[in-house]
Amino acid sequence: MAELRLKWIFPLVLLCLAASLLTGCASGEKEVKPADVLLEQADHQWAKKKWTKATDLYGQVRDYYPYHGKATLAQFRAAEGLYRTEKYQEAMAAFETFDELHPTYPQHPLVLLRIGQCHFRLSRGIDRDQIETHNAIKYLSGVTKQFPDTEEGKEAADLTRRAYLKLVRHELYVARFYRKTKAYDSAIGRFEKALSYPDVGYKPVLEAELAITKALAEGKKRPRIKVPPEPKKDRVKWWKIWR
């Protein structure tokens, strides 16, 4: 008789345990509010410039209500919110996805500008690799060419110049390092590469540095060539190189 009771009690215990687990999982699920409620709350936070909260709310509309009439706007603002909270890696990915899905969106120039801005913000100091700076120029120059008379086009043009300035300073930094270590051919190549970029005010400096380096490469004494000072507004304190 005892064995019979155990035979029936054991399955019942398993069923109760399974039911409790399912109930616990269900209670742990995040309740999704209706789309209009989310949008109202998101718009309110957006108006108050509470970017983090707004981004989360717009993201819920994007994820849970992809066919809603304002889902595209929600997706755009979710990406914009990431940018405004300085989450540039995530923002860049969000805007790239948005551009693939909505290439004819009315704010298409801003989408491309934001991608370029994210690349620029992610670029490293002048003593490091500048792949992100090159990527920034790729997008920013495209905005300038496609939308030259827009605010986005003008802003892209200004940031493109700053990106080229960073590339020039990078090449100048590396070239001087090579010359210091007597790797003159490498230094000459770097100075010439810097001169191949659009002039950002460093041409006299680069030409003087190049002439000095070529003389040293030929085994001559350092010529008495005066190197002009770098543009004052573009000088960077030594500790900022490591930013």
Side-chain angles (χ1 to χ4, degrees):
M1 189 70 177
E3 292 181 359
L4 184 61
R5 288 178 181 176
L6 289 173
K7 182 178 179 181
W8 286 103
I9 290 173
F10 185 67
L12 287 173
V13 170
L14 291 178
L15 286 173
C16 291
L17 180 61
S20 64
L21 289 173
L22 289 172
T23 304
C25 292
S27 62
E29 291 180 356
K30 184 178 180 180
E31 182 182 355
V32 181
K33 298 176 182 178
D36 292 338
V37 174
L38 289 172
L39 285 166
E40 182 180 357
Q41 293 178 346
D43 291 342
H44 178 68
Q45 297 296 333
W46 189 266
K48 292 171 61 178
K49 297 184 179 180
K50 301 291 184 179
W51 310 123
T52 301
K53 292 181 179 179
T55 299
D56 177 65
L57 292 165
Y58 283 126
Q60 291 184 52
V61 176
R62 174 200 61 206
D63 296 338
Y64 295 112
Y65 304 100
Y67 301 109
H68 190 277
K70 292 187 177 180
T72 301
L73 174 64
Q75 184 180 6
F76 173 80
R77 285 194 171 177
E80 180 70 8
L82 289 170
Y83 179 81
R84 297 194 184 193
T85 52
E86 300 182 4
K87 296 179 180 178
Y88 300 120
Q89 192 71 53
E90 295 90 335
M92 182 172 64
F95 276 117
E96 287 177 340
T97 299
F98 185 90
D99 185 47
E100 291 177 2
L101 296 174
H102 312 286
T104 60
Y105 191 65
Q107 290 184 279
H108 183 61
L110 180 58
V111 173
L112 297 180
L113 174 63
R114 286 288 188 256
I115 296 174
Q117 288 172 322
C118 287
H119 279 296
F120 185 79
R121 296 293 186 183
L122 291 168
S123 64
R124 307 171 75 182
I126 62 172
D127 63 325
R128 304 296 180 90
D129 181 81
Q130 294 298 306
I131 186 170
E132 290 292 358
T133 310
H134 284 286
N135 289 335
I137 290 173
K138 174 185 175 182
Y139 276 95
L140 295 169
S141 59
V143 176
T144 303
K145 291 178 181 178
Q146 293 181 61
F147 315 101
D149 299 324
T150 63
E151 289 297 322
E152 291 82 4
K154 295 174 183 177
E155 189 171 348
D158 178 67
L159 192 55
T160 299
R161 182 190 179 280
R162 290 173 57 193
Y164 274 119
L165 174 61
K166 194 169 188 179
L167 291 182
V168 168
R169 288 173 47 228
H170 167 71
E171 296 301 334
L172 179 60
Y173 175 90
V174 176
R176 284 171 171 169
F177 172 79
Y178 279 137
R179 187 175 63 196
K180 186 177 181 179
T181 58
K182 297 183 179 181
Y184 298 122
D185 289 341
S186 296
I188 290 171
R190 292 290 187 159
F191 283 126
E192 290 177 339
K193 186 175 181 180
L195 283 166
S196 72
Y197 293 131
D199 184 22
V200 289
Y202 274 68
K203 188 175 181 180
V205 177
L206 294 169
E207 289 178 338
E209 295 276 19
L210 179 59
I212 292 171
T213 307
K214 284 184 174 180
L216 293 173
E218 294 172 0
K220 300 177 183 178
K221 292 183 178 181
R222 183 184 179 99
R224 295 182 179 180
I225 299 175
K226 184 178 180 180
V227 178
E230 297 176 27
K232 289 184 179 180
K233 64 178 180 179
D234 293 330
R235 285 182 179 171
V236 176
K237 300 297 183 181
W238 66 268
W239 60 83
K240 289 188 178 180
I241 290 176
W242 304 97
R243 66 187 183 282

PDB file of all heavy atoms in Angstrom, residues 179 182-185 188 210-223:
ATOM      1  N   ARG A 179      62.100  59.957 -38.303  1.00  0.00           N
ATOM      2  CA  ARG A 179      63.325  60.730 -38.517  1.00  0.00           C
ATOM      3  C   ARG A 179      64.219  60.686 -37.273  1.00  0.00           C
ATOM      4  O   ARG A 179      65.442  60.595 -37.380  1.00  0.00           O
ATOM      5  CB  ARG A 179      62.993  62.181 -38.863  1.00  0.00           C
ATOM      6  CG  ARG A 179      64.226  63.008 -39.259  1.00  0.00           C
ATOM      7  CD  ARG A 179      63.846  64.385 -39.705  1.00  0.00           C
ATOM      8  NE  ARG A 179      63.225  65.141 -38.619  1.00  0.00           N
ATOM      9  CZ  ARG A 179      62.517  66.256 -38.809  1.00  0.00           C
ATOM     10  NH1 ARG A 179      62.328  66.724 -40.033  1.00  0.00           N
ATOM     11  NH2 ARG A 179      61.998  66.885 -37.780  1.00  0.00           N
ATOM     12  N   LYS A 182      66.193  57.748 -37.300  1.00  0.00           N
ATOM     13  CA  LYS A 182      67.012  57.712 -38.519  1.00  0.00           C
ATOM     14  C   LYS A 182      66.447  56.780 -39.598  1.00  0.00           C
ATOM     15  O   LYS A 182      67.191  56.326 -40.484  1.00  0.00           O
ATOM     16  CB  LYS A 182      68.446  57.319 -38.178  1.00  0.00           C
ATOM     17  CG  LYS A 182      69.134  58.335 -37.256  1.00  0.00           C
ATOM     18  CD  LYS A 182      70.595  57.963 -36.997  1.00  0.00           C
ATOM     19  CE  LYS A 182      71.239  59.007 -36.093  1.00  0.00           C
ATOM     20  NZ  LYS A 182      72.682  58.700 -35.841  1.00  0.00           N
ATOM     21  N   ALA A 183      65.154  56.528 -39.538  1.00  0.00           N
ATOM     22  CA  ALA A 183      64.486  55.780 -40.612  1.00  0.00           C
ATOM     23  C   ALA A 183      63.989  56.817 -41.622  1.00  0.00           C
ATOM     24  O   ALA A 183      62.791  57.077 -41.747  1.00  0.00           O
ATOM     25  CB  ALA A 183      63.345  54.954 -40.047  1.00  0.00           C
ATOM     26  N   TYR A 184      64.930  57.408 -42.349  1.00  0.00           N
ATOM     27  CA  TYR A 184      64.640  58.577 -43.171  1.00  0.00           C
ATOM     28  C   TYR A 184      63.683  58.292 -44.325  1.00  0.00           C
ATOM     29  O   TYR A 184      62.808  59.117 -44.627  1.00  0.00           O
ATOM     30  CB  TYR A 184      65.949  59.177 -43.698  1.00  0.00           C
ATOM     31  CG  TYR A 184      66.869  59.663 -42.610  1.00  0.00           C
ATOM     32  CD1 TYR A 184      68.174  59.161 -42.494  1.00  0.00           C
ATOM     33  CD2 TYR A 184      66.440  60.606 -41.683  1.00  0.00           C
ATOM     34  CE1 TYR A 184      69.025  59.592 -41.479  1.00  0.00           C
ATOM     35  CE2 TYR A 184      67.281  61.054 -40.665  1.00  0.00           C
ATOM     36  CZ  TYR A 184      68.574  60.544 -40.573  1.00  0.00           C
ATOM     37  OH  TYR A 184      69.402  60.977 -39.558  1.00  0.00           O
ATOM     38  N   ASP A 185      63.836  57.160 -44.972  1.00  0.00           N
ATOM     39  CA  ASP A 185      62.937  56.849 -46.086  1.00  0.00           C
ATOM     40  C   ASP A 185      61.480  56.739 -45.615  1.00  0.00           C
ATOM     41  O   ASP A 185      60.556  57.228 -46.292  1.00  0.00           O
ATOM     42  CB  ASP A 185      63.360  55.539 -46.768  1.00  0.00           C
ATOM     43  CG  ASP A 185      64.662  55.689 -47.549  1.00  0.00           C
ATOM     44  OD1 ASP A 185      65.025  56.852 -47.860  1.00  0.00           O
ATOM     45  OD2 ASP A 185      65.309  54.669 -47.831  1.00  0.00           O
ATOM     46  N   ILE A 188      60.244  60.250 -44.912  1.00  0.00           N
ATOM     47  CA  ILE A 188      59.925  60.984 -46.145  1.00  0.00           C
ATOM     48  C   ILE A 188      58.560  60.544 -46.677  1.00  0.00           C
ATOM     49  O   ILE A 188      57.743  61.375 -47.098  1.00  0.00           O
ATOM     50  CB  ILE A 188      61.024  60.743 -47.210  1.00  0.00           C
ATOM     51  CG1 ILE A 188      62.316  61.457 -46.793  1.00  0.00           C
ATOM     52  CG2 ILE A 188      60.566  61.218 -48.595  1.00  0.00           C
ATOM     53  CD1 ILE A 188      63.524  61.110 -47.648  1.00  0.00           C
ATOM     54  N   LEU A 210      60.080  68.108 -44.664  1.00  0.00           N
ATOM     55  CA  LEU A 210      60.450  67.177 -45.731  1.00  0.00           C
ATOM     56  C   LEU A 210      61.823  67.520 -46.298  1.00  0.00           C
ATOM     57  O   LEU A 210      62.641  66.622 -46.536  1.00  0.00           O
ATOM     58  CB  LEU A 210      59.399  67.211 -46.841  1.00  0.00           C
ATOM     59  CG  LEU A 210      59.653  66.305 -48.049  1.00  0.00           C
ATOM     60  CD1 LEU A 210      59.751  64.845 -47.626  1.00  0.00           C
ATOM     61  CD2 LEU A 210      58.538  66.474 -49.086  1.00  0.00           C
ATOM     62  N   ALA A 211      62.084  68.807 -46.502  1.00  0.00           N
ATOM     63  CA  ALA A 211      63.384  69.229 -47.033  1.00  0.00           C
ATOM     64  C   ALA A 211      64.514  68.852 -46.077  1.00  0.00           C
ATOM     65  O   ALA A 211      65.581  68.380 -46.498  1.00  0.00           O
ATOM     66  CB  ALA A 211      63.377  70.733 -47.276  1.00  0.00           C
ATOM     67  N   ILE A 212      64.294  69.041 -44.799  1.00  0.00           N
ATOM     68  CA  ILE A 212      65.306  68.675 -43.801  1.00  0.00           C
ATOM     69  C   ILE A 212      65.558  67.166 -43.830  1.00  0.00           C
ATOM     70  O   ILE A 212      66.717  66.708 -43.818  1.00  0.00           O
ATOM     71  CB  ILE A 212      64.838  69.103 -42.394  1.00  0.00           C
ATOM     72  CG1 ILE A 212      64.811  70.629 -42.284  1.00  0.00           C
ATOM     73  CG2 ILE A 212      65.743  68.513 -41.312  1.00  0.00           C
ATOM     74  CD1 ILE A 212      64.161  71.150 -41.023  1.00  0.00           C
ATOM     75  N   THR A 213      64.498  66.405 -43.897  1.00  0.00           N
ATOM     76  CA  THR A 213      64.615  64.941 -43.857  1.00  0.00           C
ATOM     77  C   THR A 213      65.311  64.404 -45.107  1.00  0.00           C
ATOM     78  O   THR A 213      66.116  63.468 -45.026  1.00  0.00           O
ATOM     79  CB  THR A 213      63.226  64.306 -43.717  1.00  0.00           C
ATOM     80  OG1 THR A 213      62.549  64.893 -42.607  1.00  0.00           O
ATOM     81  CG2 THR A 213      63.345  62.810 -43.481  1.00  0.00           C
ATOM     82  N   LYS A 214      65.023  64.993 -46.264  1.00  0.00           N
ATOM     83  CA  LYS A 214      65.680  64.552 -47.498  1.00  0.00           C
ATOM     84  C   LYS A 214      67.175  64.817 -47.445  1.00  0.00           C
ATOM     85  O   LYS A 214      67.981  63.990 -47.910  1.00  0.00           O
ATOM     86  CB  LYS A 214      65.053  65.261 -48.704  1.00  0.00           C
ATOM     87  CG  LYS A 214      63.689  64.704 -49.098  1.00  0.00           C
ATOM     88  CD  LYS A 214      63.165  65.383 -50.358  1.00  0.00           C
ATOM     89  CE  LYS A 214      61.863  64.725 -50.839  1.00  0.00           C
ATOM     90  NZ  LYS A 214      61.342  65.380 -52.063  1.00  0.00           N
ATOM     91  N   ALA A 215      67.565  65.937 -46.860  1.00  0.00           N
ATOM     92  CA  ALA A 215      68.990  66.247 -46.729  1.00  0.00           C
ATOM     93  C   ALA A 215      69.679  65.229 -45.812  1.00  0.00           C
ATOM     94  O   ALA A 215      70.781  64.741 -46.110  1.00  0.00           O
ATOM     95  CB  ALA A 215      69.164  67.655 -46.187  1.00  0.00           C
ATOM     96  N   LEU A 216      69.028  64.904 -44.721  1.00  0.00           N
ATOM     97  CA  LEU A 216      69.586  63.912 -43.800  1.00  0.00           C
ATOM     98  C   LEU A 216      69.669  62.538 -44.447  1.00  0.00           C
ATOM     99  O   LEU A 216      70.621  61.782 -44.222  1.00  0.00           O
ATOM    100  CB  LEU A 216      68.729  63.855 -42.534  1.00  0.00           C
ATOM    101  CG  LEU A 216      68.735  65.111 -41.646  1.00  0.00           C
ATOM    102  CD1 LEU A 216      67.704  64.974 -40.531  1.00  0.00           C
ATOM    103  CD2 LEU A 216      70.118  65.347 -41.061  1.00  0.00           C
ATOM    104  N   ALA A 217      68.697  62.213 -45.282  1.00  0.00           N
ATOM    105  CA  ALA A 217      68.694  60.916 -45.965  1.00  0.00           C
ATOM    106  C   ALA A 217      69.852  60.800 -46.949  1.00  0.00           C
ATOM    107  O   ALA A 217      70.335  59.699 -47.222  1.00  0.00           O
ATOM    108  CB  ALA A 217      67.372  60.716 -46.694  1.00  0.00           C
ATOM    109  N   GLU A 218      70.282  61.936 -47.461  1.00  0.00           N
ATOM    110  CA  GLU A 218      71.415  61.960 -48.400  1.00  0.00           C
ATOM    111  C   GLU A 218      72.760  62.012 -47.692  1.00  0.00           C
ATOM    112  O   GLU A 218      73.803  62.111 -48.331  1.00  0.00           O
ATOM    113  CB  GLU A 218      71.269  63.165 -49.332  1.00  0.00           C
ATOM    114  CG  GLU A 218      70.068  63.060 -50.263  1.00  0.00           C
ATOM    115  CD  GLU A 218      69.824  64.343 -51.041  1.00  0.00           C
ATOM    116  OE1 GLU A 218      70.600  65.310 -50.839  1.00  0.00           O
ATOM    117  OE2 GLU A 218      68.864  64.395 -51.832  1.00  0.00           O
ATOM    118  N   GLY A 219      72.736  61.956 -46.365  1.00  0.00           N
ATOM    119  CA  GLY A 219      73.979  61.954 -45.596  1.00  0.00           C
ATOM    120  C   GLY A 219      74.527  63.339 -45.318  1.00  0.00           C
ATOM    121  O   GLY A 219      75.667  63.472 -44.843  1.00  0.00           O
ATOM    122  N   LYS A 220      73.767  64.378 -45.592  1.00  0.00           N
ATOM    123  CA  LYS A 220      74.220  65.738 -45.349  1.00  0.00           C
ATOM    124  C   LYS A 220      73.930  66.142 -43.908  1.00  0.00           C
ATOM    125  O   LYS A 220      73.172  65.483 -43.195  1.00  0.00           O
ATOM    126  CB  LYS A 220      73.502  66.696 -46.311  1.00  0.00           C
ATOM    127  CG  LYS A 220      73.752  66.404 -47.780  1.00  0.00           C
ATOM    128  CD  LYS A 220      72.949  67.358 -48.656  1.00  0.00           C
ATOM    129  CE  LYS A 220      73.135  67.029 -50.137  1.00  0.00           C
ATOM    130  NZ  LYS A 220      72.321  67.916 -51.000  1.00  0.00           N
ATOM    131  N   LYS A 221      74.534  67.261 -43.512  1.00  0.00           N
ATOM    132  CA  LYS A 221      74.219  67.804 -42.200  1.00  0.00           C
ATOM    133  C   LYS A 221      72.829  68.428 -42.236  1.00  0.00           C
ATOM    134  O   LYS A 221      72.334  68.796 -43.296  1.00  0.00           O
ATOM    135  CB  LYS A 221      75.254  68.868 -41.808  1.00  0.00           C
ATOM    136  CG  LYS A 221      76.645  68.311 -41.542  1.00  0.00           C
ATOM    137  CD  LYS A 221      77.580  69.416 -41.087  1.00  0.00           C
ATOM    138  CE  LYS A 221      78.971  68.872 -40.773  1.00  0.00           C
ATOM    139  NZ  LYS A 221      79.888  69.944 -40.306  1.00  0.00           N
ATOM    140  N   ARG A 222      72.261  68.522 -41.072  1.00  0.00           N
ATOM    141  CA  ARG A 222      70.919  69.103 -41.003  1.00  0.00           C
ATOM    142  C   ARG A 222      70.964  70.536 -41.539  1.00  0.00           C
ATOM    143  O   ARG A 222      71.689  71.387 -41.011  1.00  0.00           O
ATOM    144  CB  ARG A 222      70.410  69.099 -39.560  1.00  0.00           C
ATOM    145  CG  ARG A 222      68.976  69.616 -39.419  1.00  0.00           C
ATOM    146  CD  ARG A 222      68.573  69.672 -37.943  1.00  0.00           C
ATOM    147  NE  ARG A 222      67.231  70.185 -37.803  1.00  0.00           N
ATOM    148  CZ  ARG A 222      66.147  69.437 -37.636  1.00  0.00           C
ATOM    149  NH1 ARG A 222      66.270  68.125 -37.602  1.00  0.00           N
ATOM    150  NH2 ARG A 222      64.950  69.982 -37.491  1.00  0.00           N
ATOM    151  N   PRO A 223      70.202  70.811 -42.598  1.00  0.00           N
ATOM    152  CA  PRO A 223      70.226  72.156 -43.182  1.00  0.00           C
ATOM    153  C   PRO A 223      69.573  73.183 -42.262  1.00  0.00           C
ATOM    154  O   PRO A 223      68.724  72.850 -41.428  1.00  0.00           O
ATOM    155  CB  PRO A 223      69.418  71.988 -44.472  1.00  0.00           C
ATOM    156  CG  PRO A 223      68.518  70.832 -44.197  1.00  0.00           C
ATOM    157  CD  PRO A 223      69.292  69.912 -43.302  1.00  0.00           C
TER     158      PRO A 223
END
